[in-house]
Structure formats: structure tokens, C-alpha cells
Amino acid sequence: MIQSNLAELVDAVGRIEVISTDVFDTLLLRTSRSERSRILKGERLFSNLLARRGLHITPDLLADTRLQVQRLAFRGLTLHKVPGETRLDEIVGRQLSVLGLPQSLVAERLRIEVEVEKTSLVANKYLADILRAHRGAGARIVAISDTTLRSESVRELVQHFHGAEFIDRIYSSADYSLTKRDGGLFLAVAQTEKVPLYRIVHIGDDWRADVQVPSAKGVAVYHAPRPAYRRHLRLANGALTQVGRFARRRARVTKETAPFADNATLLGRRVFGPIVTQFCLLIWLYAVEAEAADKSVLLFCARGGVGIRQAFERVLEKLSLRVGVRRENLLISRLVAARAALLARSNAAVEELDREFRGSVFADVAKALGGRRYELSENWHQPFDAGTFVALLFGNSGTEVLADIQQQHALFVRHFNQLVGDSERIILCDTGLYGSTQRLLASGFPDKRVETIQFARSNYKGHSEEHFPRVAGLVVEQNYYDPFNVSSCVLRYWHLIESLFEPAVPSVHSFAEDGSGRVGANCGDITFGAIDPSAGNHLLTGALEYIEALPADGGAMALRDAEVAWHRLKRAITRPTEAELRCLEVGGRSVDFGRSDVLRIIRSGQKQTFARKLMSLKAQLWREGAIAREFPVLKHALLPMLDSVQSLRGLLGRQH
């Protein structure tokens, strides 16, 4: 039963035993201050408290960390199959751990949160008068809220605005791990209050959580939405808060005038060290959330995951961060995952093969997937088409190829299942971007819960995003470079991040069983500690040196350094000097997927005319690097032009 008039609702229900009211934007009305503005105000107060104790961390850094922790906590909640709620005390505890601050500060930070809320709310006196009247007539009045605050904090806020002895009981989703939006909290109210659902009247502003869900369960509801302009005012306030934070960040960064190092190891230490540490801290936050919710395993994907694992374990050790999630290195590649998806006859495999082997012939694809050359009929030497290839593979002429694919897949399944064990949640860790391995592997193993965390996630080619809900770009989640998000500069030279973490071993394409029955792959032993992923990799060597030099409470230091490092990296990518070009240029990148082809990051145009060199820039994998090398005089004009074009593209992309 839904009514737009509270008096009519009371008359229609008859005898009311319990009236439940939503809290925020119903019993307590929010002002135009946005959530980001409230968080920043709280962090200013917390920063002042820390300063009085000799700990100096800027409000913006505190706010950035809080928002990152909160984002990953809510993401984990979305992926978790069992209904639940994120608790503010847990968010603050993880924030403090990342920053190297003592957990004893949690209670003080929570007190600040409540004080900020008191300045950001006003009492709904009209509703309070109605509730008091019905309470006097014998109905119990309860407050029910989906919030990260525990019941005692919500009670303090209600009492601050409406006085004591006004609400009989507070039901917070943070205490019950049940929410209004999934309906469980209403059932908890009925059970605790010992009343049937049809004897409860609920009042709230949210159409889904306060109207649709409870009314479907038999609760009589009264919808009390706030005017739409209130939401727009808060959005505007949030935007102004972000503009202010962006301006302050730019001002801080411009004060850092230290030049780049002229060798890759020093550049790795000063620039990639803080950035890699930041990435590892985000992995830790994701793993801690997963650990609290499910029995999980964190699988670092060959090849890039091997270098990530090396850095991650060092960060855990240096910063004394604990996580109980089991961690393993996984023998995987897009080719291996494609076999699994192909045998499951998944559309994901068809689309991936169609993209990878456009312009090839069927026999080339058979060689890549099967691992050897085959004597095949004329049909297999026609131009490749993924749909036709599947028909050939599972037809009479594809028996030999299919058998090899099945054999290779069976060996991988043994390896995969051994690492997964009885884990309920499988978290792959890789570099990025699109998450093809995730999409293919999840298609090949539909009975397993597979998700992926990456340095960056980007649908830069406009492909299907069906798997994106289970792929998290921990540092970057954007399709294009955005001038207002400095970390998105890596999208302009993504091969740099891939090469940063990859050890000098071949991509996984074939498996074999040794004499003891152990499954290995062509890349050799990549278990943790078996190889040094930084060998010959000066940038990663420098990054690991930075991590080794961190103090035990160095999380805040690393995040401060990362703020500057990102701007230095952006400058080096978009307007490289000769030294930066020499340090950052990646050698040939393998095409992969079972092929031996190699792509040059910067293809020299020494024998080309000026016009041809200019036209070839679009095909360069690092356009800015190519401009700096091929046009040493004109680069001062061409690089700003390219930067403007890329920035405009990113800004236009924000609108879609």
C-alpha cells in the first residue's frame, strides 16, 4: 500500500503497531553540502588533530585515501553475493592502515564524522510532530537506515536534533549487515518488534529502498521525496569541492621542481616507486575486503602479474600490512584463456579470435591454438572468419587440432584447480587494459566466481563491456586520457606499464607434465621467488629500491610522493626530453596469442619523406615519443597540438 498523504495512510492501515522512518533526508534533512564536501571537512578537522600530535598529513591526502577505501569497499559489497553493508569504522580503520597511522585513532575520527553530520543536517520538525503524536497513541517509533554509521552514532544524531526519548529503537544496516534496498532490514524490524509486516508503516524518501521493496513485502509505505533541486545543489557543491581539490593539487605539484633523473633506475625509483606502491596499497585494500567476505585466492597472472606480485609482497613487508588471502602465480595468457572459452563455445572466444586474427587464414589460427603446424585441407587456407573457424574446428577436418587444444586445456585445468583449491572467490591480478583474460576465463569456467583487478581498465576500442562489473581498474578506469585525471596519462603509452611489470620470460602458450606429474609451461617456473622479474628491468629495479627504502609507517609518504610522481610521469609521456625518451622507450612488444610477431613502439621513419613521417604518427604506439624522436625541431609545436587534441577527446568522452 503506497500513499502520498500520511494521514490517509494511517486511516487506511487502521491499528498501527510500529511506524518506521528513514533517517537521512527524511527524519533528518540534508543541506546542500555534498558527501565529498562533508568528507573533506571531516578530514580537515582530523588533519588538525594529527598535527597537534606531530603527524602532518594534508586534508586532501586524507580525503583521497578515504574515498579510495570507500570505493573499493562498496565495490566489494556489490560483488559479494550475500547481502551486507560497509561499515564506517572498517573504512576508517583501513584508511589509517594505508597511511601508517595507529588504529587507536578510529574512535576519534568517527567522533569527527558525527560532528560534521550535525552541521550538515536539519531537523524535519513536521514529521517529528506527527511521529510524536502517534507515539503518544501507543505506536512504537523506530528509525531504519541504510548507512555506514552504527546505531549509536545514528541515535546521537537523532537525539541532537529531536531530543532524547523520541525514537524507541534504531535499526542500522551497518549493525545488522542487512539493508532496506534488499529488504532484509525490514524483516529484521518485524522479527525484533514482534509484529507482522502489514502492521508496520514506513516513511522514506528513496523510491526503491523506502517504497518498492517494503511495499512488496506487505509494509504500508509513505513516500516523502525531497525536491529534485536539492539533489542538483548537492551535485554542484560536490563539483566545486572537486575543483578546489584539483587546484590545490596543481599548486602543490608546481612547487616540486626537481628534474628527472637521466637514467632508468633513478627514474624508476623517483617516479615509478611511489606509483607502484600506490597500486600495491590498492591491491591490499581489495584483498582485505575480499578476505572479510569470502574464502578467496589472489592469482597473479603471467607475465605482468609476476612483477606486480614482487612489488606487492615487498610493500606488505615494509609497511607491516597483513592480509590472509592466499596468493599464487598463475600460468595464464589470453591464448590459454581463449582455449577454455572456445571449448565452452563462448561468444567471447569468437569475438576475441575475430579481433586477433583478422587478415590471417584458418590454418594460422589452428597453429596458434593447437601449438604446432598441421596438414589441413584446402578449407583451412581460406581467409579467417571466427564463426566459420568454430565450425571447422568442431567438424571432421578439425579433429587433430581440437584434440591438441583439449589436451592443452586439460593440463591448464589441472594447474588452475590446484591453485584455486576450495576458494569461493577467484581474484586475478594483472596489468590491464580491456580484461580479455578475465572475460575469456570466466566464459570457460562459468561455475567459478572469477574477477580481476588491474592497474587500469579501459574499453579503448569500444568492445563489449559485459565483463566490466567484475574487472576493476584500481588506478584508472577510463576509456581515454582525461586532462583532469593525471593518472590517465598511462592510456597514452600503455605499453610502458605492461613492460614495467613483465619479467623477461615468454608468454604462456603450451603446457607439459614433468616426470613427477607436475604441470609446467613453456615460460619456465614463475612461482614466487623462482625468478627475479626486475632482472634487466631498470625501471622496476628502481621502483623496488624505493619500496625498500620506505619506513614502516611510510604509506602516507608514498602517497604524497605519488601525487608528484604522476605529474612527472605525465610530463615525461606527453613531452619527453631526450633522456626521458631513452629511459622510457620500450623495446619490441610481442603480438602474443601464440605468434612470434613483434611490434615496434616507435617505428623509425628515417627513409620516409616529411609528409609520410607526419602521416605515420597515427600508427605509432607512443606518438609523443615518435614526435620527439622524428621531429626534434617541430616537437615544440606538435606536442602541444597533440596534447590539446587528446585532452579534447577525453573531455568529450566524459559526456558519453
Side-chain angles (χ1 to χ4, degrees), residues 69-293:
V69 174
Q70 197 164 288
R71 175 178 70 92
L72 293 179
F74 279 110
R75 181 182 179 85
L77 188 65
T78 301
L79 289 173
H80 189 41
K81 288 188 174 181
V82 180
E85 183 61 276
T86 297
R87 298 181 178 91
L88 183 58
D89 53 343
E90 294 176 350
I91 290 173
V92 171
R94 293 172 191 174
Q95 175 196 25
L96 297 179
S97 293
V98 165
L99 296 170
L101 296 172
Q103 292 297 301
S104 58
L105 292 168
V106 170
E108 293 180 88
R109 179 62 185 88
L110 292 178
R111 279 197 296 273
I112 289 174
E113 192 82 7
V114 173
E115 292 306 312
V116 171
E117 287 285 22
K118 289 177 182 177
T119 66
S120 307
L121 297 164
V122 294
N124 186 339
K125 295 181 179 179
Y126 170 74
L127 176 59
D129 289 342
I130 293 174
L131 295 177
R132 282 193 178 93
H134 284 285
R135 189 169 189 266
R140 278 178 60 80
I141 308 299
V142 301
I144 174 172
S145 180
D146 282 353
T147 176
T148 61
L149 294 171
R150 292 188 180 271
S151 297
E152 57 266 26
S153 296
V154 178
R155 179 173 292 279
E156 181 179 345
L157 291 172
V158 173
Q159 289 182 350
H160 175 77
F161 288 98
H162 294 290
E165 308 304 324
F166 171 61
I167 294 291
D168 292 300
R169 189 179 180 114
I170 304 286
Y171 291 87
S172 166
S173 58
D175 284 335
Y176 285 82
S177 291
L178 298 169
T179 65
K180 292 186 299 177
R181 60 184 176 270
D182 61 41
L185 198 51
F186 291 104
L187 299 178
V189 171
Q191 183 179 17
T192 305
E193 299 293 329
K194 296 182 173 57
V195 296
L197 287 165
Y198 65 85
R199 289 294 185 189
I200 299 175
V201 169
H202 179 68
I203 305 163
D205 68 298
D206 186 273
W207 177 252
R208 180 174 184 271
D210 294 314
V211 179
Q212 285 183 316
V213 171
S215 63
K217 294 185 176 298
V219 175
V221 299
Y222 170 66
H223 190 208
R226 299 212 67 194
Y229 75 86
R230 288 284 181 184
R231 177 175 175 272
H232 297 308
L233 287 175
R234 282 203 288 266
L235 287 173
N237 180 261
L240 286 173
T241 300
Q242 284 296 91
V243 168
R245 294 176 64 212
F246 180 79
R248 288 192 298 274
R249 182 178 291 113
R250 289 297 299 268
R252 286 194 299 272
V253 170
T254 54
K255 293 179 181 178
E256 299 289 338
T257 57
F260 269 108
D262 60 359
N263 70 77
T265 302
L266 283 178
L267 193 149
R269 185 185 307 160
R270 296 174 181 175
V271 176
F272 288 101
I275 289 172
V276 170
T277 304
Q278 178 190 37
F279 177 37
C280 291
L281 289 172
L282 294 173
I283 296 173
W284 178 79
L285 287 171
Y286 198 100
V288 167
E289 182 283 323
E291 177 185 31

